[in-house]
Amino acid sequence: MVKLLGAAIVIISGGILGFYRASRERKRLEQGIELKRLLYLLQGEIRYGLTPLPDAIGTIAGKMNAEFSVFLSDVSKKLSSYQEETFSQVWKSSVEKDLIPYVLEKKMLEPLITMGDTIGYLDKDMQVKTIDFTIEQIEERMYQIKDQVIKNCKLYQSLGLSFGLLVVIILL
Amino acid sequence: MENTSEIYHILPKSVRGLMQKSGLKPRELQEIRLRIHQPVIVRYENKEYFLSTAGKLTTSHHFVHVLTREELKQMMEYISNYSLYAYEDQLRQGFLTVKGGHRVGIAGKVSIEDGEIKTMKHITFLNIRVAHEVIGCAEGIFEHCTKDGQLLPVLIISPPGRGKTTLLRDMIRMASDGGETVGVVDERSEIAASYMGVPQNKVGIRTDVMDGCPKSEGIMMLVRSMAPNVIAVDEIGKKEDVDAMLYSAYCGCTLMATIHGKDMEELKKVPYVGEMIERKVFKRYVVLSEQGKAGTVKEILDEEGVRLYG
Protein backbone atom coordinates (compact mmCIF):
# COMPACT_ATOMS: atom_id res chain seq x y z
CA MET A 1 0.00 0.00 0.00
CA VAL A 2 2.79 2.37 1.02
CA LYS A 3 4.69 1.36 -2.11
CA LEU A 4 1.70 2.13 -4.30
CA LEU A 5 1.24 5.52 -2.63
CA GLY A 6 4.93 6.32 -3.06
CA ALA A 7 4.78 5.27 -6.72
CA ALA A 8 1.75 7.50 -7.31
CA ILE A 9 3.51 10.43 -5.66
CA VAL A 10 6.60 9.97 -7.86
CA ILE A 11 4.52 9.73 -11.05
CA ILE A 12 2.42 12.76 -10.12
CA SER A 13 5.54 14.75 -9.23
CA GLY A 14 7.07 13.87 -12.58
CA GLY A 15 3.88 14.97 -14.26
CA ILE A 16 3.81 18.28 -12.35
CA LEU A 17 7.45 18.93 -13.23
CA GLY A 18 6.63 18.28 -16.88
CA PHE A 19 3.62 20.60 -16.80
CA TYR A 20 5.65 23.28 -15.05
CA ARG A 21 8.34 23.17 -17.74
CA ALA A 22 5.64 23.20 -20.42
CA SER A 23 3.97 26.26 -18.86
CA ARG A 24 7.33 28.07 -18.86
CA GLU A 25 7.60 27.29 -22.55
CA ARG A 26 4.15 28.72 -23.16
CA LYS A 27 5.13 31.81 -21.19
CA ARG A 28 7.75 32.59 -23.84
CA LEU A 29 4.91 33.22 -26.25
CA GLU A 30 2.56 34.80 -23.72
CA GLN A 31 5.19 37.37 -22.77
CA GLY A 32 5.54 38.20 -26.46
CA ILE A 33 1.79 38.84 -26.64
CA GLU A 34 1.97 41.04 -23.53
CA LEU A 35 4.87 42.97 -25.05
CA LYS A 36 2.84 43.55 -28.20
CA ARG A 37 -0.06 44.78 -26.07
CA LEU A 38 2.28 47.23 -24.35
CA LEU A 39 3.46 48.59 -27.68
CA TYR A 40 -0.05 48.91 -29.10
CA LEU A 41 -1.15 50.84 -26.00
CA LEU A 42 1.85 53.14 -26.30
CA GLN A 43 1.11 53.65 -29.97
CA GLY A 44 -2.50 54.54 -29.15
CA GLU A 45 -1.46 57.10 -26.55
CA ILE A 46 0.85 58.74 -29.11
CA ARG A 47 -1.41 58.46 -32.14
CA TYR A 48 -4.67 59.61 -30.57
CA GLY A 49 -3.61 61.59 -27.54
CA LEU A 50 -0.24 63.00 -28.65
CA THR A 51 0.71 62.28 -25.05
CA PRO A 52 4.34 62.93 -24.13
CA LEU A 53 6.28 59.76 -23.33
CA PRO A 54 6.56 60.07 -19.51
CA ASP A 55 2.78 60.46 -19.21
CA ALA A 56 1.96 57.89 -21.89
CA ILE A 57 4.22 55.30 -20.26
CA GLY A 58 2.85 56.14 -16.79
CA THR A 59 -0.72 55.70 -18.06
CA ILE A 60 -0.18 52.32 -19.69
CA ALA A 61 1.71 51.06 -16.62
CA GLY A 62 -1.67 50.77 -14.92
CA LYS A 63 -3.03 48.61 -17.73
CA MET A 64 -0.28 45.99 -17.82
CA ASN A 65 0.48 42.94 -15.65
CA ALA A 66 2.72 43.38 -12.61
CA GLU A 67 6.09 42.65 -14.24
CA PHE A 68 5.66 45.01 -17.19
CA SER A 69 3.99 47.56 -14.94
CA VAL A 70 7.10 47.73 -12.71
CA PHE A 71 9.24 48.35 -15.80
CA LEU A 72 6.96 51.09 -17.15
CA SER A 73 6.56 52.85 -13.80
CA ASP A 74 10.33 52.82 -13.42
CA VAL A 75 10.81 54.46 -16.85
CA SER A 76 8.11 57.06 -16.22
CA LYS A 77 9.56 57.95 -12.81
CA LYS A 78 13.07 58.34 -14.19
CA LEU A 79 11.89 60.51 -17.08
CA SER A 80 9.91 62.79 -14.79
CA SER A 81 12.94 63.36 -12.58
CA TYR A 82 14.80 65.35 -15.31
CA GLN A 83 18.00 63.73 -14.10
CA GLU A 84 18.65 61.49 -17.08
CA GLU A 85 20.18 62.76 -20.27
CA THR A 86 18.33 60.91 -22.99
CA PHE A 87 15.25 58.77 -23.35
CA SER A 88 17.31 56.01 -24.88
CA GLN A 89 19.52 55.72 -21.77
CA VAL A 90 16.53 55.53 -19.44
CA TRP A 91 14.75 52.99 -21.62
CA LYS A 92 17.78 50.75 -22.05
CA SER A 93 18.73 50.73 -18.38
CA SER A 94 15.16 49.92 -17.33
CA VAL A 95 14.83 47.11 -19.90
CA GLU A 96 18.08 45.66 -18.57
CA LYS A 97 17.08 46.02 -14.93
CA ASP A 98 13.39 45.10 -15.04
CA LEU A 99 12.76 43.00 -18.14
CA ILE A 100 15.88 40.97 -18.87
CA PRO A 101 15.64 38.94 -15.62
CA TYR A 102 11.95 38.35 -16.20
CA VAL A 103 11.37 37.89 -19.93
CA LEU A 104 12.27 34.36 -20.98
CA GLU A 105 12.77 35.02 -24.67
CA LYS A 106 15.63 37.56 -24.42
CA LYS A 107 15.82 38.02 -28.18
CA MET A 108 12.40 39.69 -28.10
CA LEU A 109 13.90 42.48 -26.03
CA GLU A 110 16.50 43.43 -28.64
CA PRO A 111 14.03 45.30 -30.91
CA LEU A 112 12.56 46.90 -27.79
CA ILE A 113 15.95 48.34 -26.78
CA THR A 114 16.58 49.57 -30.33
CA MET A 115 13.18 51.28 -30.32
CA GLY A 116 14.36 53.42 -27.38
CA ASP A 117 17.04 54.97 -29.59
CA THR A 118 14.58 56.34 -32.13
CA ILE A 119 11.36 57.02 -30.29
CA GLY A 120 10.46 60.56 -29.19
CA TYR A 121 12.26 61.91 -32.20
CA LEU A 122 10.56 63.67 -35.15
CA ASP A 123 6.82 63.65 -35.69
CA LYS A 124 3.83 61.50 -34.76
CA ASP A 125 4.00 59.37 -37.91
CA MET A 126 7.60 58.53 -37.16
CA GLN A 127 6.64 57.27 -33.68
CA VAL A 128 3.79 55.17 -35.06
CA LYS A 129 6.06 53.62 -37.69
CA THR A 130 8.85 52.97 -35.19
CA ILE A 131 6.44 51.12 -32.89
CA ASP A 132 4.95 49.21 -35.84
CA PHE A 133 8.42 48.11 -36.86
CA THR A 134 9.20 46.92 -33.31
CA ILE A 135 5.94 44.97 -33.18
CA GLU A 136 6.79 43.35 -36.52
CA GLN A 137 10.17 42.22 -35.22
CA ILE A 138 8.65 40.79 -32.04
CA GLU A 139 6.00 38.99 -34.12
CA GLU A 140 8.70 37.55 -36.31
CA ARG A 141 10.55 36.21 -33.28
CA MET A 142 7.28 34.77 -31.94
CA TYR A 143 6.66 33.10 -35.28
CA GLN A 144 10.13 31.59 -35.22
CA ILE A 145 9.72 30.08 -31.76
CA LYS A 146 6.05 29.10 -32.06
CA ASP A 147 6.60 25.59 -33.49
CA GLN A 148 9.43 24.96 -31.10
CA VAL A 149 7.27 26.03 -28.15
CA ILE A 150 4.39 23.70 -29.16
CA LYS A 151 6.82 20.81 -29.65
CA ASN A 152 8.57 21.48 -26.34
CA CYS A 153 5.28 21.72 -24.47
CA LYS A 154 4.23 18.25 -25.60
CA LEU A 155 7.73 16.93 -25.00
CA TYR A 156 7.98 18.25 -21.42
CA GLN A 157 4.53 17.00 -20.50
CA SER A 158 5.18 13.47 -21.75
CA LEU A 159 8.76 13.47 -20.48
CA GLY A 160 7.63 14.44 -16.99
CA LEU A 161 5.20 11.53 -16.81
CA SER A 162 7.65 9.10 -18.44
CA PHE A 163 10.39 10.16 -16.05
CA GLY A 164 8.09 9.51 -13.08
CA LEU A 165 7.19 6.07 -14.47
CA LEU A 166 10.83 5.24 -15.12
CA VAL A 167 11.82 6.10 -11.54
CA VAL A 168 8.97 3.95 -10.22
CA ILE A 169 9.96 0.99 -12.42
CA ILE A 170 13.62 1.26 -11.38
CA LEU A 171 12.80 1.53 -7.71
CA LEU A 172 10.28 -1.31 -7.78
CA MET B 1 5.78 82.95 -9.36
CA GLU B 2 8.29 82.36 -6.60
CA ASN B 3 9.48 79.01 -7.75
CA THR B 4 12.03 78.58 -10.49
CA SER B 5 12.38 74.82 -10.18
CA GLU B 6 10.38 74.31 -13.39
CA ILE B 7 12.85 76.44 -15.32
CA TYR B 8 15.90 74.86 -13.76
CA HIS B 9 14.50 71.42 -14.61
CA ILE B 10 14.50 72.14 -18.32
CA LEU B 11 18.06 73.46 -18.37
CA PRO B 12 20.88 71.11 -19.36
CA LYS B 13 22.39 69.54 -16.25
CA SER B 14 25.61 71.57 -16.43
CA VAL B 15 23.79 74.92 -16.75
CA ARG B 16 21.27 73.83 -14.14
CA GLY B 17 24.09 73.27 -11.65
CA LEU B 18 25.60 76.69 -12.34
CA MET B 19 22.24 78.46 -12.06
CA GLN B 20 21.47 76.73 -8.77
CA LYS B 21 24.92 77.75 -7.50
CA SER B 22 24.26 81.36 -8.44
CA GLY B 23 21.46 81.63 -5.84
CA LEU B 24 19.33 84.08 -7.85
CA LYS B 25 16.12 85.55 -6.48
CA PRO B 26 13.36 83.85 -8.52
CA ARG B 27 11.23 86.99 -8.66
CA GLU B 28 13.93 88.97 -10.42
CA LEU B 29 14.79 86.37 -13.04
CA GLN B 30 13.31 87.50 -16.37
CA GLU B 31 14.93 85.66 -19.21
CA ILE B 32 17.55 83.03 -20.00
CA ARG B 33 18.92 83.00 -23.54
CA LEU B 34 20.75 79.98 -24.81
CA ARG B 35 22.47 80.00 -28.18
CA ILE B 36 24.69 77.36 -29.66
CA HIS B 37 28.42 78.01 -29.14
CA GLN B 38 27.61 81.28 -27.37
CA PRO B 39 27.62 82.31 -23.72
CA VAL B 40 24.46 81.78 -21.68
CA ILE B 41 22.82 85.17 -21.16
CA VAL B 42 20.61 85.80 -18.15
CA ARG B 43 18.34 88.81 -17.82
CA TYR B 44 18.08 89.54 -14.14
CA GLU B 45 16.78 92.64 -12.34
CA ASN B 46 16.40 94.36 -15.75
CA LYS B 47 20.07 93.89 -16.59
CA GLU B 48 21.90 91.47 -18.82
CA TYR B 49 24.56 89.11 -17.45
CA PHE B 50 26.64 86.17 -18.61
CA LEU B 51 26.70 82.97 -16.64
CA SER B 52 30.25 82.27 -15.51
CA THR B 53 31.82 78.84 -15.26
CA ALA B 54 31.89 79.40 -11.49
CA GLY B 55 28.12 79.74 -11.36
CA LYS B 56 28.00 83.51 -10.95
CA LEU B 57 26.39 86.27 -13.01
CA THR B 58 29.01 88.44 -14.63
CA THR B 59 29.31 91.22 -17.18
CA SER B 60 32.79 90.11 -18.18
CA HIS B 61 33.33 87.98 -21.30
CA HIS B 62 35.96 85.88 -19.57
CA PHE B 63 35.33 82.47 -18.02
CA VAL B 64 31.73 82.37 -19.22
CA HIS B 65 29.85 79.16 -19.84
CA VAL B 66 29.57 78.51 -23.58
CA LEU B 67 26.69 76.32 -24.68
CA THR B 68 27.48 73.12 -26.60
CA ARG B 69 25.34 71.24 -29.12
CA GLU B 70 24.97 68.33 -26.69
CA GLU B 71 23.65 70.64 -23.99
CA LEU B 72 21.08 72.08 -26.37
CA LYS B 73 20.04 68.60 -27.42
CA GLN B 74 19.66 67.58 -23.80
CA MET B 75 17.62 70.70 -23.14
CA MET B 76 15.24 69.97 -26.02
CA GLU B 77 14.69 66.49 -24.53
CA TYR B 78 13.71 68.07 -21.20
CA ILE B 79 11.57 70.84 -22.70
CA SER B 80 9.64 68.45 -24.88
CA ASN B 81 9.41 65.76 -22.20
CA TYR B 82 11.48 63.51 -24.49
CA SER B 83 8.59 63.77 -26.96
CA LEU B 84 9.00 66.39 -29.69
CA TYR B 85 6.08 64.84 -31.59
CA ALA B 86 3.70 66.02 -28.85
CA TYR B 87 4.62 69.64 -29.54
CA GLU B 88 4.51 69.73 -33.34
CA ASP B 89 1.95 72.55 -33.44
CA GLN B 90 3.78 74.64 -30.89
CA LEU B 91 7.09 74.07 -32.69
CA ARG B 92 5.53 75.44 -35.85
CA GLN B 93 4.56 78.58 -33.95
CA GLY B 94 8.06 78.95 -32.56
CA PHE B 95 7.47 78.43 -28.87
CA LEU B 96 6.63 75.86 -26.26
CA THR B 97 4.92 76.38 -22.92
CA VAL B 98 6.46 74.41 -20.08
CA LYS B 99 5.21 73.54 -16.60
CA GLY B 100 4.85 76.69 -14.55
CA GLY B 101 3.62 78.65 -17.55
CA HIS B 102 7.06 79.71 -18.74
CA ARG B 103 7.46 80.24 -22.46
CA VAL B 104 10.40 78.88 -24.39
CA GLY B 105 10.95 80.62 -27.69
CA ILE B 106 12.82 78.54 -30.25
CA ALA B 107 14.67 79.23 -33.47
CA GLY B 108 16.66 77.07 -35.83
CA LYS B 109 16.27 75.41 -39.21
CA VAL B 110 12.70 75.51 -40.48
CA SER B 111 11.36 72.78 -42.79
CA ILE B 112 8.86 73.89 -45.39
CA GLU B 113 6.37 71.68 -47.21
CA ASP B 114 3.93 72.99 -49.82
CA GLY B 115 4.84 76.54 -48.87
CA GLU B 116 3.92 76.03 -45.22
CA ILE B 117 6.07 75.49 -42.17
CA LYS B 118 6.14 71.77 -41.46
CA THR B 119 8.38 71.76 -38.43
CA MET B 120 11.59 73.10 -36.98
CA LYS B 121 14.70 70.98 -37.03
CA HIS B 122 18.12 71.71 -35.59
CA ILE B 123 16.84 73.96 -32.84
CA THR B 124 19.86 76.00 -31.91
CA PHE B 125 18.51 79.12 -30.22
CA LEU B 126 16.32 79.15 -27.15
CA ASN B 127 14.87 81.90 -25.06
CA ILE B 128 13.20 81.08 -21.76
CA ARG B 129 10.80 83.82 -20.74
CA VAL B 130 10.05 83.45 -17.07
CA ALA B 131 6.36 83.85 -16.35
CA HIS B 132 5.66 86.36 -13.63
CA GLU B 133 2.11 86.26 -12.49
CA VAL B 134 1.16 89.41 -10.56
CA ILE B 135 -1.93 88.49 -8.61
CA GLY B 136 -3.83 91.57 -7.52
CA CYS B 137 -2.36 93.95 -10.13
CA ALA B 138 -5.85 94.73 -11.49
CA GLU B 139 -7.34 95.60 -8.12
CA GLY B 140 -7.15 99.39 -8.50
CA ILE B 141 -8.39 99.26 -12.08
CA PHE B 142 -11.22 96.77 -11.93
CA GLU B 143 -13.64 99.11 -10.15
CA HIS B 144 -13.29 101.65 -12.99
CA CYS B 145 -14.35 98.97 -15.45
CA THR B 146 -17.66 98.27 -13.76
CA LYS B 147 -20.93 100.16 -13.59
CA ASP B 148 -23.57 99.35 -10.96
CA GLY B 149 -21.63 96.18 -10.18
CA GLN B 150 -21.73 95.08 -13.83
CA LEU B 151 -18.49 94.49 -15.69
CA LEU B 152 -18.16 96.63 -18.83
CA PRO B 153 -16.39 95.64 -22.08
CA VAL B 154 -12.71 96.58 -21.66
CA LEU B 155 -9.85 97.06 -24.09
CA ILE B 156 -6.34 97.22 -22.62
CA ILE B 157 -4.05 99.31 -24.82
CA SER B 158 -0.32 98.97 -24.30
CA PRO B 159 3.05 99.05 -26.05
CA PRO B 160 4.77 95.61 -26.20
CA GLY B 161 6.20 94.27 -22.95
CA ARG B 162 4.39 96.72 -20.68
CA GLY B 163 2.26 94.17 -18.86
CA LYS B 164 -1.02 94.07 -20.76
CA THR B 165 -1.34 90.28 -20.60
CA THR B 166 -0.52 90.26 -16.89
CA LEU B 167 -3.21 92.87 -16.30
CA LEU B 168 -5.75 91.04 -18.46
CA ARG B 169 -5.04 87.80 -16.60
CA ASP B 170 -5.71 89.43 -13.25
CA MET B 171 -8.87 91.08 -14.54
CA ILE B 172 -10.07 87.68 -15.74
CA ARG B 173 -9.31 86.23 -12.29
CA MET B 174 -11.23 89.01 -10.55
CA ALA B 175 -14.24 88.78 -12.88
CA SER B 176 -14.32 85.00 -12.58
CA ASP B 177 -13.96 84.89 -8.81
CA GLY B 178 -16.51 87.69 -8.62
CA GLY B 179 -19.22 85.54 -10.19
CA GLU B 180 -18.85 85.87 -13.98
CA THR B 181 -18.42 82.84 -16.22
CA VAL B 182 -15.37 83.71 -18.27
CA GLY B 183 -14.34 82.09 -21.55
CA VAL B 184 -10.69 82.64 -22.42
CA VAL B 185 -9.31 81.95 -25.87
CA ASP B 186 -5.61 81.63 -25.16
CA GLU B 187 -4.13 81.40 -28.64
CA ARG B 188 -0.53 81.74 -27.55
CA SER B 189 -0.91 80.16 -24.11
CA GLU B 190 0.15 83.42 -22.51
CA ILE B 191 -2.90 84.17 -20.40
CA ALA B 192 -3.55 80.94 -18.53
CA ALA B 193 -0.20 79.37 -19.54
CA SER B 194 -1.87 75.98 -19.69
CA TYR B 195 0.26 72.90 -19.54
CA MET B 196 -1.56 69.85 -20.93
CA GLY B 197 -4.86 71.69 -20.58
CA VAL B 198 -4.32 72.75 -16.97
CA PRO B 199 -3.97 76.52 -16.38
CA GLN B 200 -0.72 77.21 -14.56
CA ASN B 201 -1.75 80.77 -13.72
CA LYS B 202 -4.64 81.76 -11.52
CA VAL B 203 -7.50 82.64 -13.86
CA GLY B 204 -10.40 82.25 -11.45
CA ILE B 205 -12.87 79.59 -10.47
CA ARG B 206 -15.41 80.21 -13.25
CA THR B 207 -13.01 80.34 -16.17
CA ASP B 208 -12.94 77.99 -19.15
CA VAL B 209 -9.81 78.10 -21.29
CA MET B 210 -9.55 77.17 -24.95
CA ASP B 211 -5.80 76.76 -25.18
CA GLY B 212 -3.74 77.10 -28.35
CA CYS B 213 -6.84 77.85 -30.41
CA PRO B 214 -7.10 80.61 -33.03
CA LYS B 215 -9.08 83.48 -31.50
CA SER B 216 -11.83 83.66 -34.09
CA GLU B 217 -12.65 79.94 -33.95
CA GLY B 218 -12.17 79.71 -30.19
CA ILE B 219 -14.62 82.54 -29.51
CA MET B 220 -17.30 80.87 -31.64
CA MET B 221 -16.71 77.51 -29.96
CA LEU B 222 -16.89 78.96 -26.46
CA VAL B 223 -20.02 80.99 -27.18
CA ARG B 224 -21.74 77.92 -28.57
CA SER B 225 -20.58 75.41 -25.98
CA MET B 226 -19.72 77.07 -22.66
CA ALA B 227 -22.23 79.95 -22.44
CA PRO B 228 -19.77 82.52 -21.07
CA ASN B 229 -20.79 85.94 -19.71
CA VAL B 230 -17.36 87.30 -20.48
CA ILE B 231 -15.04 86.53 -23.40
CA ALA B 232 -11.36 87.36 -22.92
CA VAL B 233 -8.66 87.36 -25.60
CA ASP B 234 -5.13 88.71 -25.95
CA GLU B 235 -3.75 90.83 -28.78
CA ILE B 236 -6.62 91.38 -31.16
CA GLY B 237 -6.17 92.95 -34.58
CA LYS B 238 -7.18 90.65 -37.44
CA LYS B 239 -10.50 91.01 -39.21
CA GLU B 240 -11.70 87.54 -38.24
CA ASP B 241 -10.88 88.24 -34.56
CA VAL B 242 -12.94 91.42 -34.67
CA ASP B 243 -15.84 89.66 -36.43
CA ALA B 244 -15.88 86.86 -33.87
CA MET B 245 -15.76 89.37 -31.02
CA LEU B 246 -18.65 91.33 -32.49
CA TYR B 247 -20.59 88.09 -32.85
CA SER B 248 -20.01 87.23 -29.18
CA ALA B 249 -20.94 90.79 -28.14
CA TYR B 250 -24.23 90.44 -30.04
CA CYS B 251 -24.74 87.16 -28.17
CA GLY B 252 -24.61 89.12 -24.93
CA CYS B 253 -21.02 88.49 -23.86
CA THR B 254 -18.91 91.18 -22.23
CA LEU B 255 -15.59 91.53 -23.99
CA MET B 256 -12.13 91.82 -22.45
CA ALA B 257 -9.23 92.21 -24.82
CA THR B 258 -5.76 93.66 -25.23
CA ILE B 259 -4.12 95.34 -28.18
CA HIS B 260 -0.71 96.77 -29.05
CA GLY B 261 -0.85 100.54 -29.26
CA LYS B 262 -0.09 103.86 -27.66
CA ASP B 263 -3.50 105.39 -27.10
CA MET B 264 -7.14 105.37 -28.15
CA GLU B 265 -6.68 108.07 -30.81
CA GLU B 266 -3.98 106.05 -32.57
CA LEU B 267 -6.16 102.92 -32.54
CA LYS B 268 -9.07 104.73 -34.19
CA LYS B 269 -7.00 104.72 -37.38
CA VAL B 270 -6.29 100.98 -37.22
CA PRO B 271 -8.52 98.96 -39.59
CA TYR B 272 -11.27 96.82 -37.98
CA VAL B 273 -10.29 97.80 -34.42
CA GLY B 274 -11.00 101.44 -35.31
CA GLU B 275 -14.50 100.40 -36.33
CA MET B 276 -15.03 98.67 -32.99
CA ILE B 277 -14.07 101.90 -31.24
CA GLU B 278 -16.39 103.93 -33.51
CA ARG B 279 -19.26 101.54 -32.80
CA LYS B 280 -18.56 101.87 -29.08
CA VAL B 281 -18.23 98.14 -28.59
CA PHE B 282 -15.84 98.75 -25.69
CA LYS B 283 -16.99 100.92 -22.81
CA ARG B 284 -13.64 101.23 -21.06
CA TYR B 285 -10.09 101.72 -22.40
CA VAL B 286 -7.21 101.00 -20.02
CA VAL B 287 -4.05 102.58 -21.43
CA LEU B 288 -0.72 101.41 -20.02
CA SER B 289 2.20 103.76 -19.74
CA GLU B 290 5.29 103.55 -21.94
CA GLN B 291 7.49 104.60 -19.06
CA GLY B 292 8.02 103.52 -15.49
CA LYS B 293 7.42 100.10 -14.05
CA ALA B 294 5.67 97.60 -16.31
CA GLY B 295 1.95 97.59 -15.66
CA THR B 296 1.69 101.29 -14.78
CA VAL B 297 -1.71 102.60 -15.88
CA LYS B 298 -1.51 105.89 -17.77
CA GLU B 299 -5.23 106.49 -18.02
CA ILE B 300 -8.65 104.88 -18.15
CA LEU B 301 -11.12 106.28 -20.68
CA ASP B 302 -14.77 105.64 -21.33
CA GLU B 303 -16.30 104.99 -24.78
CA GLU B 304 -16.44 108.73 -25.51
CA GLY B 305 -12.77 109.14 -24.67
CA VAL B 306 -13.50 110.91 -21.38
CA ARG B 307 -10.74 110.33 -18.84
CA LEU B 308 -11.96 108.48 -15.73
CA TYR B 309 -8.58 107.80 -14.14
CA GLY B 310 -5.01 108.99 -14.51
Side-chain angles (χ1 to χ4, degrees):
Chain A
M1 186 63 193
V2 176
K3 268 187 183 176
L4 270 177
L5 195 69
I9 290 172
V10 171
I11 293 168
I12 290 168
S13 305
I16 290 173
L17 190 72
F19 275 98
Y20 169 71
R21 288 305 307 254
S23 76
R24 265 180 74 86
E25 273 298 300
R26 269 196 301 276
K27 209 169 178 190
R28 285 167 71 193
L29 276 180
E30 284 164 6
Q31 285 179 333
I33 295 168
E34 194 68 0
L35 212 50
K36 273 174 65 183
R37 203 163 80 82
L38 182 157
L39 292 168
Y40 277 122
L41 284 170
L42 183 63
Q43 198 182 49
E45 283 289 335
I46 293 173
R47 193 199 299 238
Y48 301 107
L50 278 178
T51 320
L53 287 170
D55 297 308
I57 291 169
T59 309
I60 62 172
K63 296 183 165 82
M64 300 297 299
N65 68 18
E67 288 88 353
F68 284 102
S69 177
V70 167
F71 157 69
L72 293 166
S73 304
D74 189 34
V75 176
S76 176
K77 218 163 91 185
K78 279 187 194 160
L79 292 178
S80 305
S81 74
Y82 295 94
Q83 290 299 322
E84 310 292 332
E85 294 188 359
T86 60
F87 178 82
S88 132
Q89 285 172 350
V90 175
W91 187 254
K92 193 175 175 216
S93 72
S94 293
V95 170
E96 281 167 357
K97 183 174 139 262
D98 300 322
L99 290 186
I100 287 186
Y102 159 67
V103 172
L104 299 169
E105 189 56 40
K106 314 285 181 221
K107 280 198 171 161
M108 276 196 298
L109 296 177
E110 287 168 13
L112 198 71
I113 293 176
T114 317
M115 184 186 91
D117 295 335
T118 42
I119 205 152
Y121 174 66
L122 295 180
D123 65 354
K124 185 178 78 179
D125 292 345
M126 179 75 183
Q127 317 307 315
V128 171
K129 281 176 189 156
T130 304
I131 296 174
D132 270 339
F133 183 57
T134 312
I135 293 172
E136 260 175 48
Q137 285 174 297
I138 290 171
E139 272 174 346
E140 205 178 295
R141 183 66 200 153
M142 284 170 72
Y143 181 75
Q144 282 168 4
I145 62 169
K146 196 178 165 192
D147 290 342
Q148 194 193 359
V149 166
I150 294 169
K151 212 167 74 186
N152 286 353
C153 273
K154 283 182 190 159
L155 184 73
Y156 284 131
Q157 282 168 10
S158 50
L159 258 182
L161 280 173
S162 317
F163 178 73
L165 271 172
L166 184 71
V167 171
V168 168
I169 291 165
I170 292 170
L171 290 178
L172 281 177
Chain B
M1 217 290 304
E2 293 294 338
N3 192 357
T4 45
S5 62
E6 290 102 351
I7 306 168
Y8 287 178
H9 272 154
I10 59 169
L11 292 170
K13 278 163 101 177
S14 48
V15 179
R16 191 190 305 172
L18 294 177
M19 288 294 286
Q20 276 164 343
K21 228 168 150 187
S22 68
L24 303 179
K25 282 182 272 174
R27 259 233 93 79
E28 302 302 330
L29 184 62
Q30 293 162 310
E31 224 174 55
I32 307 172
R33 286 183 179 267
L34 302 109
R35 299 176 174 99
I36 192 159
H37 303 149
Q38 300 297 336
V40 175
I41 295 177
V42 180
R43 196 161 177 83
Y44 183 70
E45 291 179 322
N46 289 322
K47 284 184 211 121
E48 193 185 89
Y49 298 97
F50 298 114
L51 183 64
S52 79
T53 45
K56 290 206 166 77
L57 296 189
T58 170
T59 46
S60 153
H61 285 257
H62 303 290
F63 303 111
V64 291
H65 182 83
V66 174
L67 203 74
T68 63
R69 183 176 284 278
E70 285 66 37
E71 286 173 324
L72 263 172
K73 205 174 148 203
Q74 199 187 101
M75 196 172 162
M76 279 316 293
E77 292 256 26
Y78 293 149
I79 293 171
S80 68
N81 261 322
Y82 307 89
S83 320
L84 269 181
Y85 63 85
Y87 299 93
E88 274 174 58
D89 288 343
Q90 293 198 36
L91 280 179
R92 266 195 290 269
Q93 293 201 45
F95 69 86
L96 293 143
T97 306
V98 295
K99 237 184 208 162
H102 313 292
R103 295 271 305 272
V104 184
I106 50 173
K109 171 86 180 85
V110 173
S111 306
I112 304 273
E113 199 176 86
D114 299 327
E116 280 187 20
I117 297 171
K118 188 167 187 279
T119 189
M120 201 183 290
K121 266 200 84 186
H122 306 300
I123 295 162
T124 38
F125 307 97
L126 294 163
N127 172 25
I128 306 172
R129 283 177 64 185
V130 184
H132 287 294
E133 192 183 11
V134 188
I135 296 166
C137 67
E139 266 163 22
I141 296 136
F142 198 76
E143 61 188 278
H144 296 282
C145 302
T146 54
K147 195 177 179 185
D148 304 326
Q150 280 289 307
L151 181 69
L152 298 167
V154 189
L155 181 66
I156 301 169
I157 305 167
S158 160
R162 299 300 300 159
K164 61 183 172 323
T165 309
T166 310
L167 183 61
L168 175 71
R169 185 188 302 127
D170 206 47
M171 289 188 77
I172 293 168
R173 180 189 64 82
M174 288 186 75
S176 174
D177 288 347
E180 304 277 5
T181 302
V182 187
V184 177
V185 185
D186 202 0
E187 188 168 353
R188 300 204 290 172
S189 305
E190 278 185 319
I191 305 174
S194 299
Y195 176 78
M196 294 179 76
V198 183
Q200 303 290 301
N201 290 328
K202 285 198 171 58
V203 285
I205 58 168
R206 294 178 191 84
T207 303
D208 306 305
V209 182
M210 199 68 92
D211 184 42
C213 182
K215 283 187 274 287
S216 51
E217 287 165 57
I219 292 171
M220 298 297 208
M221 284 162 80
L222 280 176
V223 169
R224 276 188 233 122
S225 59
M226 304 306 278
N229 304 122
V230 179
I231 283 278
V233 289
D234 201 12
E235 292 179 20
I236 57 165
K238 284 192 281 183
K239 184 182 183 301
E240 50 267 35
D241 299 345
V242 172
D243 288 344
M245 288 184 79
L246 286 173
Y247 169 79
S248 67
Y250 296 143
C251 290
C253 298
T254 305
L255 303 176
M256 269 177 161
T258 70
I259 190 164
H260 280 299
K262 265 207 241 142
D263 52 43
M264 192 175 162
E265 287 310 309
E266 186 197 85
L267 286 179
K268 279 184 181 167
K269 295 172 206 148
V270 176
Y272 317 119
V273 178
E275 285 166 41
M276 283 183 101
I277 297 173
E278 290 296 324
R279 288 161 81 168
K280 300 191 172 69
V281 175
F282 294 104
K283 305 287 181 204
R284 292 291 182 268
Y285 295 88
V286 178
V287 186
L288 297 186
S289 171
E290 283 172 83
Q291 277 112 37
K293 217 176 139 208
T296 310
V297 178
K298 190 169 136 196
E299 55 187 3
I300 299 176
L301 310 168
D302 71 2
E303 70 269 40
E304 308 292 346
V306 177
R307 187 177 289 187
L308 304 171
Y309 171 92

